[in-house]
Amino acid sequence: MEQSVKPASSLPLNPHIAALPPYNAGMNIAMARALSGRHDIARLASNENPDGCSPTVMAALASSSFEPWRYADPACTALRSALGEKLAVDPGQIVAGNGSEEMIAAISRAVLVPGASVVTTVPSFGLHEIEPLAAGADVVKIPMTPEMGFDLAALETAIAARPRIVFISSPWNPVGPGLDHPSLQRLIGAVRPGTLLVLDEAYFEFADPGAPDGIEVLRSSGIDYVVLRTFSKAYGLAGLRVGYAVCSGLELPRVVAAAKTPFNVNAAAQIAAIAALADESWMRASASRVRAERKRAAAALAGFGFRVAQSQTNFLFFDCKGDSSSLATDLLKQGIIVKAWRETSYERYLRVTIGSPADNDRLIAALHGLMDR
Ligand SMILES: *Cc1c(COP(=O)(O)O)cnc(C)c1O
């Protein structure tokens, strides 16, 4: 039965929150089934891991160490200590989050005040803009170059103007390239006291060998920084929600931790993340399969005449030579979910996740049918 909704009241709402743009999340499988009339959906819009996750994770979740009736450790002590050892950082510098997205929110809450300025890129990972806006900040977005890369000169100028926070994802979601060593050094060199550099490395594990490790590079930089990493992508734990922030010093992580909810990382997520860290060889093998498929899919897309951005990630971003929403709709009719970019001036771009070899073949075959007409 239809519920009747009473007319809006005069309750004053937080204007920063009320005006937020929605987060553009990938379509779910049930809706794609309903829209396509197909059961076998290829979900290539959310950068999930086509290999699933390590069997050690499933074993840990089935073991007696998982006690759902107990509150989980609010400080994630065991996970942070395992991470501290792996990364050679003081666990006091690490804050674990309900996904690294929660850390983007906590950093924004911890550092920003209304009217503060924030620099990021466009196209951008939605939350790098949404969370600063929620905190009342003004967001300056630096566009990608015509060659689909970072505009280092423009970023340098914007960073030198002393924003409170700079959010940069490298490798870059949604475009794909990563900052190389000289480029990262150049941006670090532009940071002035009073600015926090947040380097979001959600796709770190998919980068080619030799790519900079933000934690290594920033530890000796002398600037205030946060490096974000996640278990959602290469480790295949997107549904459990666990990521973390590695912060400069010990005061910044203390305040970021104060800005999160107390029991933010649930018991299953803590156990799963620790188990995933104990089986890094699974993750590395999966990431190298993704790299091989990325190369194959990029060549196939280029074969259609699409301009494809260089990628260090588990997705490809390309100019589809027309309205990407209509191409996404055509693909959805065949049971393939992709992400049409919606930010102004980027409506010709499509982002496709590297899936299983069979899903990638299906995408390529569907594009043959649509583009060769
Ligand atoms: C996927 C992604 C994240 C992480 O998401 P969580 O699942 O919240 O850890 C963070 N930043 C970028 C740029 C991403 O693409």
Side-chain angles (χ1 to χ4, degrees), residues 235-296:
Y235 292 92
L237 304 183
L240 282 171
R241 317 301 308 121
V242 52
Y244 56 96
V246 177
C247 308
S248 51
L250 294 171
E251 176 65 358
L252 177 61
R254 187 188 70 75
V255 180
V256 169
K260 70 179 186 64
T261 58
F263 297 100
N264 58 333
V265 184
N266 71 63
Q270 292 191 37
I271 286 173
I274 292 165
L277 285 177
D279 188 14
E280 294 246 288
S281 64
W282 182 92
M283 181 279 288
R284 279 194 287 269
S286 174
S288 83
R289 283 191 289 275
V290 166
R291 275 192 289 270
E293 280 295 287
R294 172 174 85 201
K295 196 168 165 200
R296 185 173 78 87

Side-chain angles (χ1 to χ4, degrees), residues 117 119 157-166 190-195:
S117 90
V119 167
T157 306
I159 293 170
R162 296 176 172 254
R164 192 64 65 87
I165 305 183
V166 182
V191 173
R192 303 277 168 271
T195 294

Side-chain angles (χ1 to χ4, degrees), residues 23 46-47 97-102 104 125 127-128 169-174 200-203 228-233 237-238 241-244 315 351:
Y23 180 73
S46 299
N47 302 342
N98 188 284
S100 53
E101 67 178 27
E102 189 202 16
I104 298 169
F125 177 59
L127 298 173
H128 290 171
S169 60
S170 175
W172 186 0
N173 182 9
D200 186 339
E201 292 191 328
Y203 300 93
L228 297 175
R229 299 259 178 100
T230 181
F231 287 92
S232 295
K233 311 282 162 55
L237 304 183
R241 317 301 308 121
V242 52
Y244 56 96
F315 56 80
R351 193 192 70 191

Side-chain angles (χ1 to χ4, degrees), residues 311-333:
S311 175
Q312 296 285 298
T313 65
N314 65 344
F315 56 80
L316 293 166
F317 190 68
F318 58 98
D319 181 339
C320 72
K321 303 189 285 187
D323 175 35
S324 62
S325 292
S326 83
L327 181 54
T329 305
D330 288 340
L331 289 167
L332 182 59
K333 286 179 193 150

Side-chain angles (χ1 to χ4, degrees), residues 182-198:
S183 309
L184 179 55
Q185 288 299 353
R186 200 171 147 186
L187 297 187
I188 291 169
V191 173
R192 303 277 168 271
T195 294
L196 175 67
L197 176 65
V198 179

Side-chain angles (χ1 to χ4, degrees), residues 31-215:
M31 192 179 288
R33 281 182 181 146
L35 289 169
S36 67
R38 293 180 59 135
H39 187 78
D40 57 332
I41 299 297
R43 187 163 130 119
L44 303 180
S46 299
N47 302 342
E48 293 152 348
N49 194 323
D51 294 324
C53 66
S54 160
T56 44
V57 168
M58 301 310 280
L61 290 173
S63 78
S64 58
S65 60
F66 178 33
E67 299 180 320
W69 53 91
R70 293 200 196 284
Y71 279 101
D73 174 10
C76 292
T77 312
L79 173 58
R80 287 170 45 247
S81 126
L83 286 169
E85 195 156 318
K86 168 185 148 76
L87 304 167
V89 299
D90 184 329
Q93 291 179 266
I94 303 173
V95 186
N98 188 284
S100 53
E101 67 178 27
E102 189 202 16
M103 292 293 100
I104 298 169
I107 293 161
S108 298
R109 262 166 55 109
V111 175
L112 298 174
V113 292
S117 90
V118 167
V119 167
T120 191
T121 56
V122 59
S124 59
F125 177 59
L127 298 173
H128 290 171
E129 179 181 12
I130 291 173
E131 296 299 350
L133 289 175
D138 299 317
V139 180
V140 174
K141 297 195 281 184
I142 306 301
M144 71 178 191
T145 62
E147 297 75 37
M148 308 174 83
F150 290 99
D151 188 338
L152 293 173
L155 281 166
E156 220 175 12
T157 306
I159 293 170
R162 296 176 172 254
R164 192 64 65 87
I165 305 183
V166 182
F167 281 105
I168 293 187
S169 60
S170 175
W172 186 0
N173 182 9
V175 185
L179 292 165
D180 60 13
H181 279 279
S183 309
L184 179 55
Q185 288 299 353
R186 200 171 147 186
L187 297 187
I188 291 169
V191 173
R192 303 277 168 271
T195 294
L196 175 67
L197 176 65
V198 179
L199 192 64
D200 186 339
E201 292 191 328
Y203 300 93
F204 172 72
E205 297 84 358
F206 299 109
D208 291 328
D213 172 332
I215 295 171

